[in-house]
Amino acid sequence: MMQNRRDTSGTRFFIETYGCQMNKYDSELISRILIDHGYTQASNADEADILIINTCSVREHAEQRVLGRIGVMAAWKRLNEKRRLIITGCMAQRLGETLIAIPHVDGVAGPDQYRLLPGLVNSKLTLTQARMLRQTHTEDYSDIKPNRETGISGWVAISRGCNNFCSYCIVPYVRGRERSRPFNGILDEVRNMANSGFQEVTLLGQNVNTYRDGATDFPRLLTEIAEKTNIKRIRFMTSHPRDLSLELLEVMGAYDSICPHIHLPVQAGSDSVLERMNRGYTRNHYLYLVEAARKRIPNAALTTDVMVGFPGETEKDFLETVNLMETVRFDDAFTYRYSSRPGTKAAEMAGQVEENEKSRRLQYLINIQRRITLQKRKSMIGSVVEVLPEISSKYSTREWMGRTPTDHVVVFPKNRLERGVPVPVRIDECRGATLRGSPVISPMA
Ligand code: SAM
Ligand code: SF4
Ligand code: F3S
């Protein structure tokens, strides 16, 4: 029997997003899928009939935060029997059956199941159905135009999933095998973004350096986007040190529109730890890449992810990480305490480090990086940098907050300058960790 599509007009949804940029991008995809099925976006959970919590599994703490949030949402659901609570993302993939067993959870969908969401919001999944929420290993959502937020800066996923199986990491298990999106679709998407006023694109993948569609590898993709679209700024993340090529560095150095910033997670400074992490490079190779990048890309900014307390990490190993941080002097670093993830190889390794010791190492590393970050930011005082004004600063509606091509955040007076139009700004001071400046009237050289 033929069925008419259910009338969803007037049903409002709201998405809360946890985790990385890829999850934020996925929330924009989910939003588009629901809008295309007649739902409308609410501005907060209180106004919504459907609440989607898009979750992260990367560390235990991330999962606990979400479980706490789901608990609180029992009261939200009780206020209206028509309300629906749906859990999406990496945690939905990892813990689907546990989550669907929570009485006020109405549906779960892992990262490859978002096309099913319009159907899911109207029916509670059975455990058998939840079990069927398997990765497809092929879904790339390449035909779906994300419902982007800012109008100035947007994300484009160039690949999904990951094949690297770093021994500590849950991502390959919850996001499935790496698949690259077709090159033409990416080019069209960036071109359309530029034509509709976007200034900046960030290409996303767990390891962008292994992107490939036929003969198009990542350096080629960047070259084509730089040459064949009008987008002003091109960023990308994440680069894996094992796969970052000299060719990529050359391409970065050759085009002004490719931002001189590389996020290059090192994870550890000790070869034995890197080996047990299954990272596929040595400390020396990493230092070689840093030198090569700095030689080829003027003013290159480097940021990293680093972890302390990996199983078997000795004090000597840890001090090698400290030494690497002091040697490279990153512009910024995301520092993490190792968190054991069930099902990963590292979770089974001997020599799990005590939580107290992990905390001590983390604090030590944070202090070192804070000092370096501050020194590097202070060295920018007096220089003139290009800033793309994005949003009002959190301190004052009379100030813009924007980013430099090196991804430094700068706050400056609005002076009737337009949002989304890059402006030269002289850096005047570094207050706390925030760079503050004044717009320069004369055009940049
Ligand atoms: N694909 C990217 C990469 O290779 O760096 C990002 C992966 S993950 C989403 C971001 C960061 O989380 C990683 O670089 C790593 O430092 C950290 N991370 C991943 N698994 C972790 C774990 N089990 N415990 C602590 N930190 C972890
Ligand atoms: Fe995780 Fe490693 Fe893949 Fe990054 S490259 S997502 S750290 S397995
Ligand atoms: Fe991202 Fe967290 Fe998933 S970091 S890929 S949302 S596990």
Side-chain angles (χ1 to χ4, degrees), residues 21-26 28-29 139-142 144 146 148 154-161 175 179-183 185-187 189-190 193 201-206 208 211 218 221 225 235 237:
Q21 274 85 350
M22 191 59 95
N23 243 24
K24 291 179 185 151
Y25 177 81
D26 281 1
E28 295 176 349
L29 290 176
E139 178 62 86
D140 65 7
Y141 299 107
S142 54
I144 294 176
R148 295 195 170 85
W155 295 296
V156 172
I158 62 166
S159 60
R160 296 179 71 86
R175 290 219 160 233
R179 61 218 89 139
S180 294
R181 268 182 66 186
F183 156 69
I186 298 172
L187 196 64
E189 192 169 338
V190 178
M193 285 170 73
V201 66
T202 303
L203 308 175
L204 294 180
Q206 295 300 342
V208 289
Y211 173 86
F218 188 57
L221 176 71
I225 293 175
R235 301 185 185 281
M237 69 185 307

Side-chain angles (χ1 to χ4, degrees), residues 162 164-166 168-169 171-172 206 240 279:
C162 183
N164 294 308
F165 288 94
C166 301
Y168 51 80
C169 186
V171 173
Q206 295 300 342
H240 193 303
R279 288 291 287 177

Side-chain angles (χ1 to χ4, degrees), residues 46 117 166 178 208 212 225 266 335 354 360 374 393 425:
D46 288 339
L117 279 170
C166 301
E178 182 180 295
V208 289
R212 181 167 284 280
I225 293 175
V266 64
T335 46
E354 289 278 324
R360 184 192 69 81
L374 210 60
S393 92
V425 173

Side-chain angles (χ1 to χ4, degrees), residues 8-26:
T8 51
S9 55
T11 309
R12 290 156 305 169
F13 68 90
F14 183 72
I15 310 177
E16 280 184 14
T17 310
Y18 295 80
C20 64
Q21 274 85 350
M22 191 59 95
N23 243 24
K24 291 179 185 151
Y25 177 81
D26 281 1

Side-chain angles (χ1 to χ4, degrees), residues 149-417:
E149 270 178 14
T150 73
I152 290 173
S153 179
W155 295 296
V156 172
I158 62 166
S159 60
R160 296 179 71 86
C162 183
N163 290 346
N164 294 308
F165 288 94
C166 301
S167 61
Y168 51 80
C169 186
I170 197 72
V171 173
Y173 301 92
V174 288
R175 290 219 160 233
R177 295 295 65 72
E178 182 180 295
R179 61 218 89 139
S180 294
R181 268 182 66 186
F183 156 69
N184 281 327
I186 298 172
L187 196 64
D188 282 348
E189 192 169 338
V190 178
R191 200 177 273 140
N192 290 338
M193 285 170 73
N195 292 343
S196 57
F198 278 84
Q199 303 286 314
E200 184 176 274
V201 66
T202 303
L203 308 175
L204 294 180
Q206 295 300 342
N207 179 4
V208 289
N209 306 112
T210 45
Y211 173 86
R212 181 167 284 280
D213 176 26
T216 309
D217 60 5
F218 188 57
R220 186 74 222 150
L221 176 71
L222 279 183
T223 307
E224 295 276 321
I225 293 175
E227 289 186 356
K228 297 187 179 160
T229 76
N230 292 324
I231 201 90
K232 298 274 183 339
R233 288 181 173 187
I234 307 164
R235 301 185 185 281
F236 54 87
M237 69 185 307
T238 301
S239 283
H240 193 303
R242 185 195 56 215
D243 302 309
L244 184 135
S245 62
L246 294 184
E247 194 191 348
L248 172 65
L249 300 177
E250 305 282 353
V251 168
M252 288 183 75
Y255 293 93
D256 286 343
S257 57
I258 305 179
C259 291
H261 168 223
I262 311 179
H263 183 63
L264 195 62
V266 64
Q267 312 297 0
S270 140
D271 279 341
S272 79
V273 173
L274 285 172
E275 195 179 335
R276 279 177 293 119
M277 285 179 163
N278 191 31
R279 288 291 287 177
Y281 54 87
T282 59
R283 171 194 177 93
N284 273 346
H285 181 70
Y286 189 91
L287 293 173
Y288 160 77
L289 289 177
V290 170
E291 204 184 309
R294 288 184 168 153
K295 211 180 274 174
R296 286 165 179 80
I297 308 163
N299 303 321
L302 276 171
T303 54
T304 200
D305 293 346
V306 61
M307 203 185 294
V308 298
F310 184 78
E313 183 188 73
T314 61
E315 182 68 11
K316 182 168 169 287
D317 293 322
F318 170 62
L319 291 176
E320 286 189 56
T321 300
V322 172
N323 176 273
L324 184 130
M325 305 287 279
E326 300 264 26
T327 306
V328 176
R329 293 177 61 77
F330 292 102
D331 290 83
D332 215 340
F334 297 92
T335 46
Y336 304 107
R337 220 185 318 244
Y338 165 76
S339 165
S340 174
R341 305 283 62 218
T344 60
K345 281 210 170 128
E348 307 302 318
M349 285 180 187
Q352 301 284 330
V353 177
E354 289 278 324
E355 288 304 319
N356 280 349
E357 181 57 15
K358 284 187 207 169
S359 299
R360 184 192 69 81
R361 291 179 190 178
L362 183 67
Q363 197 51 54
Y364 192 87
L365 212 57
I366 288 173
N367 290 344
I368 286 172
Q369 185 55 45
R370 233 179 236 157
R371 169 174 49 79
I372 296 171
T373 301
L374 210 60
Q375 285 168 349
K376 295 202 84 160
R377 288 191 192 163
K378 283 190 171 158
S379 74
M380 292 170 71
I381 294 173
S383 64
V384 176
V385 290
E386 182 200 87
V387 185
L388 176 62
E390 268 184 71
I391 50 169
S392 290
S393 92
K394 51 181 179 225
Y395 312 102
S396 159
T397 52
R398 284 186 292 195
E399 290 176 329
W400 283 126
M401 193 284 287
R403 284 169 194 276
T404 66
T406 48
D407 210 28
H408 288 94
V409 171
V410 180
V411 171
F412 61 96
K414 283 189 178 168
N415 291 4
R416 276 181 281 156
L417 291 159

